Amino acid sequence: MLKSQRKIPHATDIHVGSRIRMQRRFKAMSQTALAEMLGISFQQVQKYEKGANRVGSSRLQAIANLLSVPVSFFFEDGQVVSAGADGAGLKASDLTIQFLSSDEGQALNRAFRKVKDGNVRKKIVELVKTLASEA
């Protein structure tokens, strides 16, 4: 199939998939573990998380139950504009979800949560802002 003939995932499917990935990773659950509990292949979970395959309502309810969130969680801060596979048209909230779903975002979030001193946390944020403006 030519690239121009490929089906582009709908923005809502991408958003729901990214929320599944974020919560799955937050629960420290592998794609394989989630797939086994759902009775599907881990490749199917990958496709859901990328938005390549649409998640049916009963399957979404099962995922919500396994990840201990309400179904509405997957639609919070949802897309109102279409986005291509390259991420064009994503809202800031979706970029945040993508970051929090990444290995770096997860590691940074876990480490940051361990810092109990509020002043130190503020200094970390200031440091990251400074580093970002220099890049």
Side-chain angles (χ1 to χ4, degrees):
M1 196 179 277
L2 297 174
K3 187 174 184 175
S4 62
Q5 293 177 328
R6 288 186 190 150
K7 183 182 174 196
I8 297 175
H10 190 276
T12 301
D13 298 326
I14 293 170
H15 179 77
V16 168
S18 68
R19 299 287 288 187
I20 291 170
R21 178 178 164 92
M22 179 180 68
Q23 187 64 15
R24 176 186 59 76
R25 293 190 62 167
F26 179 74
K27 303 281 269 178
M29 184 184 295
S30 69
Q31 288 178 332
T32 302
L34 180 58
E36 286 175 358
M37 289 184 272
L38 292 169
I40 60 175
S41 68
F42 79 91
Q43 292 94 336
Q44 184 62 40
V45 172
Q46 286 177 329
K47 290 177 182 181
Y48 287 156
E49 290 183 357
K50 291 178 182 175
N53 284 8
R54 187 166 290 163
V55 184
S57 57
S58 59
R59 176 79 35 89
L60 190 60
Q61 181 65 62
I63 292 169
N65 292 343
L66 291 169
L67 298 179
S68 305
V69 294
V71 171
S72 61
F73 168 84
F74 301 113
F75 298 95
E76 291 173 1
D77 299 322
Q79 282 286 35
V80 293
V81 297
S82 292
D86 62 355
L90 291 176
K91 296 188 313 186
S93 60
D94 293 309
L95 295 174
T96 301
I97 290 167
Q98 283 181 353
F99 172 72
L100 290 174
S101 297
S102 70
D103 290 338
E104 296 87 359
Q106 290 284 318
L108 185 61
N109 189 36
R110 276 193 285 277
F112 190 77
R113 287 191 324 237
K114 291 179 182 177
V115 178
K116 301 298 180 200
D117 186 322
N119 289 327
V120 173
R121 289 168 70 110
K122 287 179 185 176
K123 289 182 184 203
I124 292 170
V125 171
E126 290 172 21
L127 173 64
V128 172
K129 286 180 178 179
T130 300
L131 292 171
S133 66
E134 292 176 2

